Amino acid sequence: MDKQDKIYVAGHRGMVGSAIVRKLQQEGFDNFVLRASSELDLRNQAQVQSFFAQEKPDYVFLAAAKVGGILANNTYRAEFLYDNLMIQNNIIHNSYLNGVKKLLFLGSSCIYPKLAPQPLQEDALLTGVLEPTNEPYAIAKIAGIKMCDAYRAQFGCNYISCMPTNLYGPNDNYDLEKSHVLPALIRKFHEAKKNNLPTVTIWGTGSPLREFLHVDDLADACYYLMQTYNEPGLVNIGVGEDISIKDLAHLVKNIIGFEGEIVHDLTKPDGTPRKLMDVSKLHRAGWKAKIALEEGIKSVYDGLKGQNWF
Ligand code: GFB
């Protein structure tokens, strides 16, 4: 990418898209084309078609998606499938029609089979049955990877796919029903401390293992891959280390300084038992994560002061 190139970051108001815009601005890029969802409904074929025909971006970061934690994925199954398929189909196809030079598609570690060998290698894709709580989202994201590869194979498009592990950072969703685990824990422990509550309830057994990547690290990796990586298939983006949900809860509890007890709501699902990325392909490509989990959680917590629930 050159500094004068026109860059479309789809989903620029979300946690991932906003981090990518921040990263590009730090690197000196300023020729962005951005649209809020109220201005451009990415599920709408005609709207996306005329947007691309008019703006003709050079580079596309496809960070727009309907996302959420385990309960949202499991509850809004139709929307997770339909919205994500429509968004990515419209953006990828119109990128092809309008000569976009390169596109980066963002997926998720949930594309891998529920019981795939750990750490998850890229070639585990489509080797087994998916985790049922997020199957619709995973199916959409797998379709996105295959679409990038098919457009590369048939039309020569330089479209790459990267699969981030569980993310956290500024502009995350703190809705306790729809969010991922880390923002939920931050909010629950903060509110319990503020209101002198005796307990905090976490979902499931606490035994599942998850890996967490700060979104600023993800944005750095996306920028790096956009500049250097031109392969079909997919590349994992993670830190290569995981932590149990129970240990994560204790870490957040200590950072926030809550002194009560942790209790478990066993009516809520655990989801995949473990989701640790094999990041050797990414390391070979020349990129490594830099932000340690404790430092990352502290910086996110320090940045929350303006939130209405804080
Ligand atoms: O982050 P999370 O919602 O998503 O949940 P997944 C991770 C683990 O934390 C699960 C537990 O075992 C949850 O039961 N957990 C404990 C909690 N307390 C809470 C809580 O208060 N809120 C939440 N949300 N979880 C999602 C997928 O899976 O991860 C998506 O559904 C996507 O498709 C995303 O891949 C990255 O890691 O289980």
Side-chain angles (χ1 to χ4, degrees), residues 62 84-96 103 105 140-155 157 159-161:
L62 207 177
N84 286 311
L85 282 173
M86 294 304 284
I87 291 168
Q88 67 204 36
N89 285 351
N90 286 336
I91 293 179
I92 294 170
H93 186 63
N94 283 290
S95 292
Y96 155 63
L103 175 146
F105 172 69
K141 291 297 182 182
I142 293 169
I145 299 167
K146 294 298 173 189
M147 196 156 167
C148 288
D149 282 352
Y151 277 62
R152 175 185 290 276
Q154 187 177 345
F155 303 130
C157 299
Y159 297 168
I160 61 171
S161 296

Side-chain angles (χ1 to χ4, degrees), residues 67-74 80 107-111 131 133-135 137-138 164-167 175-185 188 201-210 212 245 248-249 264-265 268-272 275:
V67 299
I70 190 165
L71 198 64
N73 268 266
N74 202 19
F80 272 76
S108 160
S109 56
C110 70
I111 52 134
E131 155 61 28
T133 56
N134 58 35
E135 192 191 66
Y137 182 70
T165 192
N166 289 31
L167 301 169
D175 177 311
L176 290 178
E177 291 297 308
K178 294 181 181 161
S179 73
H180 290 98
V181 61
L182 195 36
L185 292 179
K188 285 178 180 180
T201 303
I202 69 168
W203 295 353
T205 60
S207 62
L209 292 153
R210 294 289 184 274
F212 295 93
I245 297 303
L248 179 74
H264 294 263
D265 175 357
K268 295 287 194 305
D270 269 349
T272 298
K275 227 174 5 174

Side-chain angles (χ1 to χ4, degrees), residues 247-291:
D247 288 347
L248 179 74
H250 282 284
L251 179 61
V252 176
K253 178 182 177 213
N254 291 338
I255 289 171
I256 293 182
F258 172 70
E259 287 175 355
E261 299 294 315
I262 295 173
V263 295
H264 294 263
D265 175 357
L266 298 177
T267 66
K268 295 287 194 305
D270 269 349
T272 298
R274 192 178 187 197
K275 227 174 5 174
L276 174 65
M277 293 292 213
D278 182 321
V279 283
S280 44
K281 188 171 177 182
L282 184 64
H283 288 182
R284 280 196 305 276
W287 188 91
K288 275 191 179 165
K290 295 170 202 69
I291 304 172

